[in-house]
Amino acid sequence: NEKLQFTWAWRTMPERESLVTVLIKPDGTGSILTLMHEKFFDEPARDRHREGWSGCLDKLERYLDGNVPLSPRFEHGQPMMMAGLTERYTAETRHRIPEQWQRFVPRIPEIKGRIGNNTFGVVSFGETAFDCLTAVHVSDISGVPRDLSQMTVPARRYAVFTHDGPISEIAEVMNAIWHRWLPKSGCETAGAPQITEVYGGQFDPETGTGGFE
């Protein structure tokens, strides 16, 4: 049996300190985790933390059980010309990607020659960092503002994974693909870009819901 206990407070409100207790007990070939968070400043704070912990524990259970769907379909994609905003990130700065989307979406109407209604996240990995292009598919670059980036994604065979959950789960999905599916698949990654995220017309950028591929 193991017990972990610590105090909890936001840096901006250190006076609102609460207490977290985590108990882990053996249960057959697994364990039972019990989490207790108490001594809140008020009931609204209690309710917000309950919602946060519930979401975290649900994701932990899915991750440990391997319940991220990993049954792709395979498609042969044609070359696609993309236009949008490019930023470089590391593991420590990737949490800023939503800010890039917030800057890009209002600029989409400026891009002429757009094909379809999908938006794309095109990721190219380097040794210590990766580039993320938030983009739309265009027919040519003549109607693309000069301060935006362009890229031609080459024709290639894709393993396409569909995820119906919110965009907040994208890191969980990516980790499952790279660390669980890929090593056992017999497939190899192509050259950059290695990932193309596709957000269809049903995706709501305000709420992050609607699913993605």
Side-chain angles (χ1 to χ4, degrees):
N1 296 347
E2 298 290 343
K3 178 179 180 180
L4 173 66
Q5 192 170 67
F6 55 92
T7 56
W8 178 286
W10 293 102
R11 292 182 180 180
T12 55
M13 293 181 288
E15 72 280 0
R16 296 193 173 195
E17 186 176 274
S18 53
L19 182 67
V20 177
T21 303
V22 180
L23 300 175
I24 302 176
K25 296 182 179 181
D27 182 52
T29 58
S31 300
I32 296 176
L33 184 148
T34 302
L35 186 145
M36 179 182 297
H37 197 163
E38 56 188 329
K39 299 185 178 179
F40 289 104
F41 181 80
D42 53 25
E43 290 186 1
R46 177 202 63 193
D47 295 341
R48 288 193 299 271
H49 282 82
R50 175 190 292 142
E51 181 178 353
W53 281 119
S54 296
C56 289
L57 293 174
D58 286 346
K59 291 180 180 179
L60 175 62
E61 183 177 15
R62 289 201 306 274
Y63 177 79
L64 293 176
D65 288 345
N67 284 339
V68 174
L70 294 177
S71 299
R73 69 181 189 275
F74 289 88
E75 295 183 354
H76 290 278
Q78 299 300 313
M80 297 179 66
M81 188 174 296
M82 302 287 193
L85 285 177
T86 300
E87 295 288 349
R88 178 159 293 181
Y89 298 96
T90 64
E92 291 74 28
T93 61
R94 66 181 183 179
H95 64 277
R96 298 176 184 170
I97 293 177
E99 298 174 10
Q100 179 181 343
W101 278 103
Q102 291 171 5
R103 295 194 304 273
F104 172 62
V105 170
R107 300 205 57 186
I108 292 178
E110 301 177 34
I111 302 174
K112 308 305 179 184
R114 181 182 181 184
I115 299 175
N117 295 318
N118 292 343
T119 52
F120 301 83
V122 185
V123 181
S124 303
F125 290 104
E127 293 185 4
T128 59
F130 65 93
D131 293 330
C132 178
L133 170 67
T134 49
V136 294
H137 183 197
V138 295
S139 56
D140 61 73
I141 63 172
S142 61
V144 179
R146 292 184 177 181
D147 62 322
L148 296 183
S149 302
Q150 304 100 35
M151 172 190 291
T152 297
V153 178
R156 55 182 45 163
R157 183 171 182 254
Y158 288 95
V160 182
F161 298 83
T162 300
H163 186 70
D164 295 326
I167 191 61
S168 59
E169 296 177 352
I170 191 169
E172 179 184 357
V173 173
M174 294 295 186
N175 285 334
I177 293 171
W178 282 93
H179 300 297
R180 284 177 33 220
W181 179 81
L182 184 60
K184 301 177 182 179
S185 68
C187 298
E188 295 182 359
T189 57
Q194 291 90 352
I195 295 175
T196 301
E197 304 160 9
V198 183
Y199 302 93
Q202 74 278 9
F203 182 77
D204 185 343
E206 294 293 330
T207 62
T209 58
F212 55 90
E213 293 185 332

